[in-house]
Amino acid sequence: MAVREVHHPLFARVYALMARHEPAAIRHYRDELLVGLSGRVIEVGAGSGANFAHYPSTVTEVLAVEPEDYLREQAAASAADGPVPVTVVNGHADALPAEDATFDAAVACLVLCSVPDQARALAELRRVLRPGGELRFLEHVVAPDRAGLARTQRAVDRVFWPHAFGGCHTARDTSAAIAAAGFDRVEERRIQLGPGLSPVATGILGTARCG
């Protein structure tokens, strides 16, 4: 089956540029996201490969799935310089190019905001994880509705944000989606990903197990 094409040429270039110049705090979150991983890992929506340099040497293989053409090219270049073996492939979060129960861990980093269907994407991540496998996630999410930020997020999602930023939605309750997907032992904490009034400032960083 042919993989449907994804093209966001302007957004992809801006996203890759931002990844090359991201704040130290975001790089620290990437380290925390991946620390302690081992074995085979699948990373969904790998972007330009910003996570690759942060994988620990205990990881034996990363299958990096990225549907956007320009970002996938950038990711392939990043993979060549990474500390662990990385294979970059074309594919989508809701139809991962992998067999059932074949990965020790899965990584979703700043991607569940933009998948067309979170429930399907999370079901696919559960499918490819072995029993007891671990999901690591770092995502921006809907804010607690103090000072009306959540209302602002919902408004920008309706008016322009997904169209301007490669399908990204700022007001998704990703925490609830992960819990509803049937993962066990979900642990997360709130983090700050940007200036307090930014629609993408509120984040979560955590882990969940595949029962």
Side-chain angles (χ1 to χ4, degrees):
M1 181 182 296
V3 178
R4 64 184 184 274
E5 295 184 352
V6 174
H7 297 293
H8 299 296
L10 178 58
F11 169 76
R13 284 158 175 79
V14 171
Y15 187 85
L17 180 63
M18 291 172 60
R20 288 195 293 270
H21 300 283
E22 64 188 7
I26 303 300
R27 296 195 298 272
H28 174 76
Y29 288 142
R30 292 187 190 275
D31 283 333
E32 188 174 348
L33 173 70
L34 304 175
V35 67
L37 287 180
S38 62
R40 299 188 73 223
V41 178
I42 185 167
E43 181 175 342
V44 60
S48 60
N51 278 334
F52 297 167
H54 300 264
Y55 276 100
S57 60
T58 45
V59 169
T60 58
E61 176 190 358
V62 177
L63 180 66
V65 182
E66 174 51 54
E68 209 286 326
D69 292 344
Y70 177 80
L71 290 175
R72 193 168 58 254
E73 292 175 4
Q74 297 296 300
S78 297
D81 298 325
V84 302
V86 178
T87 302
V88 180
V89 298
N90 191 8
H92 294 267
D94 57 9
L96 292 174
E99 299 295 325
D100 295 358
T102 49
F103 289 91
D104 301 295
V107 173
C109 182
L110 304 177
V111 64
L112 293 175
C113 59
S114 59
V115 296
D117 187 324
Q118 281 192 324
R120 286 182 63 184
L122 288 163
E124 277 290 276
L125 288 168
R126 285 197 69 214
R127 179 184 67 80
V128 301
L129 281 171
R130 63 171 178 77
E134 187 176 22
L135 171 65
R136 299 283 186 96
F137 54 91
L138 168 60
E139 299 288 342
H140 67 78
V141 295
V142 65
D145 201 12
R146 56 180 183 271
L149 181 54
R151 292 193 295 274
T152 299
Q153 290 174 308
R154 290 189 286 269
V156 300
D157 281 356
R158 286 194 302 270
V159 175
F160 74 93
W161 198 276
H163 303 288
F165 296 102
C168 171
H169 295 74
T170 70
R172 285 186 171 175
D173 190 350
T174 302
S175 296
I178 292 171
F183 286 95
D184 300 325
R185 289 178 284 164
V186 180
E187 299 180 1
E188 66 179 42
R189 77 174 199 275
R190 293 269 175 173
I191 58 174
Q192 191 76 13
L193 291 173
L197 295 179
S198 166
V200 293
T202 304
I204 54 171
L205 175 62
T207 65
R209 290 283 180 180
C210 182

